[in-house]
Each structure stands twice: as C-alpha cells, then as structure tokens.
Amino acid sequence: MTSAVPVIDVHELTKVFGKKTVVDKVSLSVNEGEIYGFLGPNGSGKTTTIRMLCGLLRPDGGKGTCLGHDVLSESELIKPHVGYMAQRFSLYGDLSVRENLEFMARMYGVADRRRAVNDTMERMNLAGFAATLAGNLSGGWKQRLALAACMIHSPRLLLLDEPTAGVDPTARRDFWDEVHKLAGQGITALISTHYMDEAERCHRLAYIAYGKLLTTGTAAEIVARENLATWEISGPGLYALIDGLRALPGVEQVVAFGVTLHVSGRDAAALEAHLPPFLAGRATAVRIASSLEEVFISLMRGTRP
Amino acid sequence: MTRLFSPSRFAAMVAKEFVQMRRDRLTFGMMVGIPLLQLILFGYAINSDPKHLPTAVLDNDRSVFSRTVLAGMKNSQYFEFVEEVEGEKRVEELLRLGRIQFVVTIPPDFGRDLVRGQRPVLLLEADATDPSATSNAAASMQQIVRGTMNRDLTGPLAPLQSREGPVELRFHPRYNPEAVTQFNIVPGLMGVVLTMTLVIITSLAITRERERGTMENLLITPVRPLEVLLGKLVPYILVGYIQMALIVVAARYLFEVPFLGSLPLLFAVSFLFIAANLGVGITFSTVAQNQLQAVQMSFFFFLPSILLSGFMFPFRGMPEWAQYLGSVLPLTHFLRIVRGVVLKGNGLADIAPHLWPIALFLVASLGIGVKRYRQTLD
Ligand SMILES: Nc1ncnc2c1ncn2[C@@H]1O[C@H](COP(=O)(O)OP(=O)(O)OP(=O)(O)O)[C@@H](O)[C@H]1O
Ligand SMILES: [Mg+2]
C-alpha cells in the first residue's frame, strides 16, 4: 500500500542560526513503509533537520510536505501522527515510567489509554519499572522509555534522533526488529544514527555533513557511487607503517581494523602503483570491498569547509 | 602533582564567570535594577508622614470661628477638603468607600458656645484602618485648634485662651478604634503572600521545562499554548486558596482581627487576584531564559507591589507618580478589598470599583503570556 506522495517530501530546507547556515538546502524524499537512515558527523545538522520536519523549528527556507501537510504552515496537522524521539532525554525525570507514558497517551488523546500504556510497557519490557521515576532509570532504559513514549499513539511516521545511543546490543536488536515489523505495517521511520551496522539495516540512507546533503540511496548504491578502492594490509609491526602509508600518493585514509590496516583512496591506479613497492617484504596487501564507513569518511573529507 | 588551590585555575574560573555574566544580560540588568529600584522607592516614594489627606467637612455652624478652624486645618497641610457634606449618611458612605481619610464635624452653635466659654465639641473622625496614615494628622489637630483660636480670641475673649483650651477636641478612629497595626497588616499580608509565592512559582513553570529539555517533548505533542499556560495555572489557584485560608485562620484566632464582612465574598473575589498574579508569573516564565532570571523578574515585580500598594506605607503618603504606579498593581486594589471587607464590612457594591483594575491586569498579563509563548524551539 504505497501512496503516490512520499511521506516526507521536502525541498531545499534551510535553517540559519545567527550567521551560521546549519542546514543548507537539504531535500529529502521518504516513501511510506520505508526505513530511512540519516547519517552524518556531529554537528552536521541531523537534529536540526528532523526538528524542522516535525514543526519544532521553523525552516528559514525551502518547502515541502510531511504526511501530506505543509511543513511550514501545517505543523498542527503533522504533530498528531508523528512519533518523535529527541536526542536528549526529554521526558519528565520526576514522573514515574507509567506516569510519563500516561501523560503522553493523554496528550495524543489515545483511546483506551490504560491498555495502550500496559501494552507498550509489556512490549518494551518496561513493566518492571512502572513505578520507577524516569530520572532514576539508567541511560539505556531511559532511551527505551523515550522510544515507548513516542510510539504510544501509534504514529504513522517515526522521527527518531539517535534512538539507540547507549543501548545494549540485545536491546538494539529488539529495537530494529520492532522497527522492521512496524515498517511492514506501513509505518515510515526516519532514524539518525552513528552506527554503521544500523545504517546497513535501513532501506535507504542519507548522508549529511556541514549542513549539506552529500548523498542518498541504498547502502550498496552509495558505496558503488563513491568508487572507493580499499586494501587490507596485514603483517607484523603494522603501526610503524601508518605514517609512511599516509604519505603515499593516492592514499586518502588509513584506519586500523583489528590486526589489519585498511587503506583507501579514490584513485585506484595510483594506489595499485605505489602500495606494493612501499610494502615490499614488510606486509601484504589484498584489495577488498570498501565499507560504508570508509565511504562516509571519504565523503566527509571531500567537503570539509 | 595536584594542588588544592591553583591560581591559574582560579583565574580561569573568574574569567569564565565574567564571560557568563556578560552573556546573561537580563540577570546583569536585574542585579543593577533591583538596588536602583529600592533606592528610588525608599528614597523618594516612601513617606511615613502623609499630608493632604482627603477630608470631608460637616459644618453645622458656619460662623467666623468654624471657618477659622477649617482654615487652620487646611494650612497645616495635613488635611485637604474634598467635600462639604450635609448629613451623617453621606459621611458614612464616604468613609466606607475609602474616599476620605477624615471627617471634621462642627456642631451647631459652635461659635456661640465658644464665645460663652462652654468648650464646644469639635469632632474629628478618621478611617483608621491603617493607623500610620492618620496618626500624625490627628496628633497635630490639638496644636492647630489652639494656634488658630488663640489668634481670634483677643481683647475681651482673651481669658478663654488660658484654660484647657477653648474647644473640646474629640477624635474617633473608625474601623480600627484601638489603632492596632496588626488589624491593618494581617489582612494585607494575605495579598502580599499570594503575590510573592504565586508569581515566583509560576514564573518557573515554563522556564523549568525549557531548562530541563522537557519543552521539546511537550512541543512535539499537539498541545496548544493556552492549554499549557492554563494547565500550569490551575494547580496554583488551589495553592493560593490554601494560603488564603491559612491567613484567615491566623488572622481570626492568632491576631483576633474582627471580621465584619462576608468571607465567602472575600474568597470569591480573590479568584481574580490570584489569577492576576499567576498571569504575571506565567508571562515572566515565557520571557526568562533560565530559572534564576525567572526568580529575579518575580522579585522585580514583588518589590513595587509591597512598597507602593499601601501595604507597608500609607498609600496617600506617596507622591502622585508613585500612586499612579501603585494603582496599576493588583495588590493595591486587593488590599483595599481585603481591608474593606474584613474591617469595614464592605459588600460587593462597595468593592466593585477595585475589581475591574485587577481584571484588566489579568487580561493584559495573560494576553502577553499567550502571545509570547513560542510553539517552536527557536
Ligand atoms: N538553537 C541553536 N542555536 C544555535 N545553533 C544551534 C542551535 N541548535 C543547533 N545549533 C548548531 O547547529 C549545528 C547542527 O546541530 P545539530 O544538533 O543539528 O547536529 P547533529 O547532526 O544532530 O549533531 P549530533 O550528531 O552531534 O547530534 C551545530 O553546529 C549546532 O551548534
Ligand atoms: Mg543530533
């Protein structure tokens, strides 16, 4: 049941704080039932973009729709159908878990509130903490509560700002299973994250740096488009080689990966020519497929202001 | 090596504090503004020797002598004649409404009795709800009468001067006959306590949300500004009534303040006053950037309220500009209502003129609050 109009369809959204353009003409299009990953380094404008989508911030430029309503003038119509999870814990620390959920359910006018709250606590394993003050929960459990709270009114669109930051691997897996299940029911999710494994679980991705949208597409498309060549170097005493490798023509990044080094660059020919002579007798190099992370780092380097 | 005190760390701290202070303009402004305000108010506005007190005259004699007495009173600067009345009924009315502070009554045949040496009675009645407003003027009365009479009693009348005085002066402090300051202060305290606590508490309401980051979560819900603002007010209306009830009980049983008027009436009209204070608080909270600023703004409002409302110092003792300023404040009008109802037995019709200024204030303050309330984070 995909509709013709994308759930999020914005063009050239711009936000300026003082003299700084924090989000610079970002255009996004997210379809119904899609899980859309939003990536980018710290301070790149992810949170600001998400806030503009749901009416928490007024865009200074651009236009577009969210759930079919104008993001500039109809945020009152958008809000009831959006589940937004802020990056910073923003529920009431002096209310208990149950009270927070009930407050949110009330705010959205959820029918059969009691059941909605109980079901949500059950599903998110929060039942044991019902009476605990939200402020006294551990960081990861706060995240889970926030997630539960933003889904209590069965929104059609989830805007989740780093929902799994500080959450343990099991809970993270549960979370992604849940998101995929919801997507199957036609619920759309825009999720910002710094985790590459999470990026790979998204249907499509957008990568933003310094306020500018650098690339969008599936993980495979992005990797293919960037055309980055990567070699895995292995051998004894690798750390002594790092500085030398960085100085080689064509080398853009050298990253330690366990007991190996990953060397990448867009100029495959130059690397092909200079790597073997430099390593001769000291280590071996094997060409491998570039990972998303290497691609993103390369993208970010290319646009540093 | 770690030291307990490092001068360089200390210097860095000081520098940082200065930078922060410079960035927080409002706090800085308040730090300057409050002492300044205090200085101005205490230095110029406060006058514990009020003059030109509105006085009504009931002259049943209209002789040379009665006119001399009245002229003497006028010259003393304590009394300002605002109305010449015909009968007791009007006098009662003026006193009850608080339009006048004094009534001077000159009996029929005052001049004749005076000349005959029969010591006629000169009656000075006062609205003594606030004893400090009347005491100096009343005390000066003896002096005035003696001084002016002696000028007229010359020649054959000169012997009249030498006795205990040619006139018998009677002083009737009304409403608070023993001039018990508490009778005036305690009902007034009701207004002061409500102003102080309610404004501070509500001024923190929205500021706290913003400071703790919970505003983000609140704004994303479909909630509307007025829902937020009023939702935050309602609990405090209850708090206000609890405070009032406590003070009423204390006034009645600790200070034995007489309650002449209707308590239900007092509680009913207090709603307006409580709401007006909450309106101010909530408006402050939409302006303040952090909780400290909110508290400071509350004090900025509280200070003139307590000084210019007639709580601490007689309203009529203040210069005109201070009285105008005072008339804007809800506390000024509420004090008159409380004192009127409690000490004078005022009914609704009597206090009605003091209700609409409070209502106006409430509408204005809430209006600004709603207008200032932002539905976005920027
Ligand atoms: N209210 C504000 N006033 C001024 N500048 C702001 C404001 N909010 C954000 N910024 C600036 O906008 C830029 C983008 O911030 P934003 O929070 O959107 O980044 P982000 O991509 O979410 O980063 P992170 O991964 O660290 O969460 C930053 O430089 C930040 O300092
Ligand atoms: Mg962010």
Side-chain angles (χ1 to χ4, degrees):
Chain A
M1 45 175 222
T2 36
S3 58
V5 183
V7 172
I8 297 175
D9 189 24
V10 292
H11 301 280
E12 310 208 321
L13 275 194
T14 299
K15 183 76 198 171
V16 182
F17 284 120
K19 284 194 184 129
K20 203 168 147 205
T21 305
V22 165
V23 174
D24 195 359
K25 296 188 179 157
V26 167
S27 303
L28 284 177
S29 173
V30 182
N31 295 317
E32 186 164 358
E34 199 166 27
I35 300 174
Y36 202 88
F38 200 24
L39 291 100
N42 290 137
S44 56
K46 300 184 296 293
T47 299
T48 309
T49 305
I50 294 176
R51 283 175 171 171
M52 283 193 285
L53 291 176
C54 59
L56 277 178
L57 286 176
R58 256 194 87 77
D60 293 314
K63 60 180 170 40
T65 60
C66 195
L67 292 162
H69 302 293
D70 192 325
V71 285
L72 282 160
S73 57
E74 296 180 320
S75 51
E76 295 320 312
L77 299 174
I78 300 172
K79 283 177 181 177
H81 306 290
V82 170
Y84 169 70
M85 180 177 161
Q87 180 171 7
R88 173 181 167 189
F89 182 71
S90 58
L91 291 167
Y92 297 97
D94 44 2
L95 293 190
S96 72
V97 167
R98 177 184 286 281
E99 286 162 347
N100 268 304
L101 292 175
E102 280 188 348
F103 175 77
M104 290 303 280
R106 278 194 137 122
M107 280 286 148
Y108 285 101
V110 173
D112 200 355
R113 197 170 69 231
R114 182 163 286 281
R115 232 189 64 203
V117 169
N118 285 336
D119 286 355
T120 306
M121 285 200 300
E122 207 55 55
R123 200 163 32 128
M124 303 296 283
N125 289 324
L126 281 163
F129 295 105
T132 309
L133 291 187
N136 293 342
L137 291 174
S138 75
W141 282 102
K142 276 192 184 126
Q143 291 292 93
R144 279 195 230 189
L145 170 60
L147 197 60
C150 81
M151 293 206 267
I152 197 146
H153 58 297
S154 324
R156 285 164 52 204
L157 170 64
L158 289 170
L159 298 174
L160 309 176
D161 200 353
E162 298 191 27
T164 55
V167 172
D168 69 46
T170 323
R172 233 151 42 95
R173 177 169 301 174
D174 291 348
F175 163 77
W176 279 95
D177 288 348
E178 179 77 21
V179 171
H180 275 277
K181 205 165 83 193
L182 291 169
Q185 297 164 15
I187 291 168
T188 313
L190 178 74
I191 304 173
S192 80
T193 179
H194 290 293
Y195 297 118
M196 289 306 135
D197 61 316
E198 295 191 345
E200 275 155 8
R201 300 185 75 157
C202 295
H203 296 138
R204 273 202 299 155
L205 301 171
Y207 187 81
I208 185 175
Y210 310 109
K212 294 194 172 65
L213 195 64
L214 297 185
T215 186
T216 62
T218 64
E221 280 167 9
I222 291 174
V223 172
R225 199 179 308 139
E226 189 60 9
N227 204 11
L228 194 72
T230 302
W231 275 262
E232 184 178 68
I233 318 270
S234 45
L238 283 176
Y239 294 111
L241 299 176
I242 290 179
D243 286 338
L245 280 168
R246 287 208 169 118
L248 284 183
V251 171
E252 288 172 26
Q253 49 175 303
V254 179
V255 185
F257 242 85
V259 292
T260 66
L261 293 177
H262 286 192
V263 176
S264 350
R266 262 166 296 196
D267 189 349
L271 285 168
E272 195 84 66
H274 293 99
L275 263 184
F278 176 76
L279 294 173
R282 292 193 281 184
T284 55
V286 183
R287 175 108 185 234
I288 56 166
S290 297
S291 72
L292 207 48
E293 181 171 337
E294 282 144 3
V295 170
F296 284 150
I297 290 172
S298 150
L299 272 170
M300 192 183 73
R301 294 240 168 109
T303 48
R304 189 169 307 199
Chain B
M1 186 188 84
T2 55
R3 278 180 296 172
L4 282 179
F5 183 81
S6 136
S8 65
R9 268 201 312 252
F10 169 70
M13 249 340 261
V14 172
K16 171 197 131 310
E17 292 298 323
F18 268 112
V19 172
Q20 285 181 319
M21 188 171 82
R22 210 181 58 223
R23 303 253 155 89
D24 192 353
R25 295 254 176 79
L26 189 64
T27 303
F28 188 70
M30 287 284 178
M31 280 176 349
V32 180
I34 291 179
L36 220 64
L37 190 70
Q38 257 173 324
L39 209 68
I40 293 169
L41 296 183
F42 277 110
Y44 301 108
I46 309 311
N47 178 3
S48 49
D49 185 17
K51 299 214 163 128
H52 304 289
L53 299 166
T55 306
V57 180
L58 180 53
D59 186 355
N60 295 316
D61 183 47
R62 297 179 187 277
S63 66
V64 177
F65 295 102
S66 72
R67 273 195 290 279
T68 312
V69 172
L70 294 176
M73 286 174 72
K74 200 168 156 120
N75 287 339
S76 77
Q77 310 245 322
Y78 278 114
F79 306 93
E80 184 159 320
F81 299 127
V82 290
E83 191 167 334
E84 186 138 341
V85 293
E86 297 297 332
E88 283 292 333
K89 218 173 144 253
R90 177 71 180 147
V91 168
E92 283 303 321
E93 191 186 335
L94 287 173
L95 278 174
R96 202 181 61 238
L97 294 178
R99 296 263 171 78
I100 53 171
Q101 196 86 48
F102 290 104
V103 186
V104 54
T105 306
I106 299 176
D109 303 329
F110 174 79
R112 198 195 64 196
D113 293 352
L114 181 80
V115 175
R116 287 182 186 168
Q118 287 176 338
R119 300 198 73 223
V121 174
L122 184 67
L123 178 64
L124 183 70
E125 290 168 286
D127 172 354
T129 4
D130 182 357
S132 63
T134 51
S135 54
N136 277 6
S140 73
M141 202 49 193
Q142 194 76 41
Q143 200 68 36
I144 294 166
V145 172
R146 216 178 250 276
T148 52
M149 287 287 115
N150 288 359
R151 246 181 289 128
D152 280 8
L153 300 174
T154 48
L157 298 174
L160 291 172
Q161 286 187 21
S162 55
R163 294 205 227 130
E164 325 112 271
V167 172
E168 183 185 341
L169 188 66
R170 266 189 217 152
F171 180 58
H172 275 184
R174 301 277 297 265
Y175 304 124
N176 183 0
E178 282 93 44
V180 184
T181 330
Q182 273 86 345
F183 287 5
N184 183 49
I185 296 277
V186 174
L189 211 56
M190 203 179 296
V192 171
V193 168
L194 288 176
T195 300
M196 180 158 85
T197 53
L198 294 183
V199 172
I200 290 190
I201 292 176
T202 45
S203 73
L204 293 175
I206 292 185
T207 322
R208 192 167 28 213
E209 295 264 0
R210 203 172 296 140
E211 213 169 299
R212 292 189 183 168
T214 52
M215 203 65 192
E216 187 166 5
N217 191 61
L218 193 62
L219 287 178
I220 191 63
T221 68
V223 77
R224 308 287 311 177
L226 206 60
E227 296 162 6
V228 176
L229 297 181
L230 292 183
K232 283 176 176 289
L233 292 193
V234 169
Y236 297 118
I237 291 179
L238 195 74
V239 173
Y241 272 119
I242 293 171
Q243 291 179 326
M244 264 189 79
L246 282 176
I247 297 173
V248 166
V249 169
R252 186 77 197 80
Y253 297 101
L254 288 182
F255 299 100
E256 293 172 345
V257 174
F259 274 80
L260 300 183
S262 147
L263 264 185
L265 172 71
L266 183 63
F267 274 78
V269 299
S270 297
F271 182 82
L272 213 53
F273 176 68
I274 292 175
N277 282 312
L278 297 175
V280 181
I282 213 90
T283 298
F284 285 170
S285 99
T286 60
V287 177
Q289 297 293 321
N290 55 52
Q291 299 191 45
L292 182 61
Q293 282 187 359
V295 172
Q296 284 172 324
M297 288 170 85
S298 304
F299 268 98
F300 201 78
F301 175 74
F302 179 61
L303 212 61
S305 282
I306 190 169
L307 296 178
L308 299 183
S309 62
F311 169 71
M312 261 189 170
F313 310 100
F315 192 77
R316 289 189 173 116
M318 306 189 304
E320 215 165 274
W321 63 265
Q323 293 197 16
Y324 278 127
L325 214 62
S327 315
V328 176
L329 301 168
L331 182 58
T332 307
H333 301 280
F334 186 67
L335 284 182
R336 292 175 189 167
I337 292 173
V338 180
R339 287 169 180 167
V341 172
V342 173
L343 301 176
K344 300 183 185 177
N346 278 180
L348 183 58
D350 300 322
I351 57 172
H354 303 304
L355 286 177
W356 69 262
I358 302 182
L360 202 68
F361 191 93
L362 166 65
V363 172
S365 62
L366 256 189
I368 296 173
V370 172
K371 212 168 155 43
R372 289 259 349 164
Y373 179 84
R374 291 265 158 275
Q375 271 195 295
T376 54
L377 289 170
D378 53 358

mmCIF file of all heavy atoms in Angstrom, chain A residues 47 51 73 117 152 155 218-219 237 247 281 300:
data_model
loop_
_atom_site.group_PDB
_atom_site.id
_atom_site.type_symbol
_atom_site.label_atom_id
_atom_site.label_comp_id
_atom_site.label_asym_id
_atom_site.label_seq_id
_atom_site.Cartn_x
_atom_site.Cartn_y
_atom_site.Cartn_z
ATOM 1 N N THR A 47 19.865 16.671 13.753
ATOM 2 C CA THR A 47 18.811 17.012 14.708
ATOM 3 C C THR A 47 18.006 18.216 14.209
ATOM 4 O O THR A 47 16.774 18.215 14.271
ATOM 5 C CB THR A 47 19.437 17.323 16.081
ATOM 6 O OG1 THR A 47 20.118 16.155 16.528
ATOM 7 C CG2 THR A 47 18.395 17.738 17.093
ATOM 8 N N ARG A 51 14.032 18.264 13.447
ATOM 9 C CA ARG A 51 13.157 19.214 14.161
ATOM 10 C C ARG A 51 12.339 20.064 13.189
ATOM 11 O O ARG A 51 11.207 20.431 13.488
ATOM 12 C CB ARG A 51 13.988 20.126 15.057
ATOM 13 C CG ARG A 51 14.432 19.450 16.332
ATOM 14 C CD ARG A 51 15.350 20.373 17.103
ATOM 15 N NE ARG A 51 15.642 19.848 18.428
ATOM 16 C CZ ARG A 51 16.556 20.374 19.239
ATOM 17 N NH1 ARG A 51 17.252 21.423 18.841
ATOM 18 N NH2 ARG A 51 16.773 19.854 20.422
ATOM 19 N N SER A 73 3.418 25.530 7.377
ATOM 20 C CA SER A 73 2.195 26.138 7.914
ATOM 21 C C SER A 73 1.251 25.156 8.595
ATOM 22 O O SER A 73 0.299 25.571 9.243
ATOM 23 C CB SER A 73 1.445 26.851 6.784
ATOM 24 O OG SER A 73 1.168 25.926 5.756
ATOM 25 N N VAL A 117 -1.026 1.916 27.468
ATOM 26 C CA VAL A 117 0.136 2.043 28.344
ATOM 27 C C VAL A 117 0.635 0.664 28.761
ATOM 28 O O VAL A 117 1.839 0.369 28.685
ATOM 29 C CB VAL A 117 -0.215 2.902 29.584
ATOM 30 C CG1 VAL A 117 0.897 2.825 30.621
ATOM 31 C CG2 VAL A 117 -0.468 4.345 29.170
ATOM 32 N N ILE A 152 3.457 5.504 21.537
ATOM 33 C CA ILE A 152 2.251 5.129 22.266
ATOM 34 C C ILE A 152 0.973 5.487 21.512
ATOM 35 O O ILE A 152 -0.054 4.843 21.678
ATOM 36 C CB ILE A 152 2.260 5.755 23.681
ATOM 37 C CG1 ILE A 152 1.254 5.035 24.563
ATOM 38 C CG2 ILE A 152 1.955 7.249 23.635
ATOM 39 C CD1 ILE A 152 1.658 4.929 25.976
ATOM 40 N N PRO A 155 1.857 6.276 15.840
ATOM 41 C CA PRO A 155 2.049 7.284 14.798
ATOM 42 C C PRO A 155 2.282 6.639 13.427
ATOM 43 O O PRO A 155 2.661 5.475 13.347
ATOM 44 C CB PRO A 155 3.299 8.029 15.260
ATOM 45 C CG PRO A 155 4.039 7.044 16.093
ATOM 46 C CD PRO A 155 3.022 6.164 16.735
ATOM 47 N N THR A 218 20.571 3.522 -1.426
ATOM 48 C CA THR A 218 20.775 2.323 -0.603
ATOM 49 C C THR A 218 22.259 2.242 -0.279
ATOM 50 O O THR A 218 23.091 2.878 -0.940
ATOM 51 C CB THR A 218 20.365 1.053 -1.370
ATOM 52 O OG1 THR A 218 21.235 0.921 -2.497
ATOM 53 C CG2 THR A 218 18.923 1.125 -1.852
ATOM 54 N N ALA A 219 22.596 1.455 0.718
ATOM 55 C CA ALA A 219 23.992 1.328 1.130
ATOM 56 C C ALA A 219 24.849 0.906 -0.061
ATOM 57 O O ALA A 219 25.922 1.470 -0.301
ATOM 58 C CB ALA A 219 24.105 0.329 2.271
ATOM 59 N N GLY A 237 54.269 -5.662 12.840
ATOM 60 C CA GLY A 237 54.721 -4.276 13.017
ATOM 61 C C GLY A 237 54.013 -3.272 12.125
ATOM 62 O O GLY A 237 54.635 -2.382 11.554
ATOM 63 N N ALA A 247 51.532 9.060 3.655
ATOM 64 C CA ALA A 247 52.263 9.981 2.776
ATOM 65 C C ALA A 247 52.256 9.519 1.319
ATOM 66 O O ALA A 247 52.608 10.284 0.417
ATOM 67 C CB ALA A 247 53.700 10.120 3.269
ATOM 68 N N GLY A 281 58.136 -6.832 1.182
ATOM 69 C CA GLY A 281 58.864 -7.533 2.233
ATOM 70 C C GLY A 281 58.393 -7.234 3.630
ATOM 71 O O GLY A 281 58.726 -7.932 4.575
ATOM 72 N N MET A 300 33.048 12.861 3.783
ATOM 73 C CA MET A 300 33.162 13.983 4.703
ATOM 74 C C MET A 300 34.453 14.755 4.439
ATOM 75 O O MET A 300 34.478 15.971 4.437
ATOM 76 C CB MET A 300 33.143 13.461 6.129
ATOM 77 C CG MET A 300 32.977 14.542 7.157
ATOM 78 S SD MET A 300 33.045 13.848 8.798
ATOM 79 C CE MET A 300 34.765 13.486 8.942
#
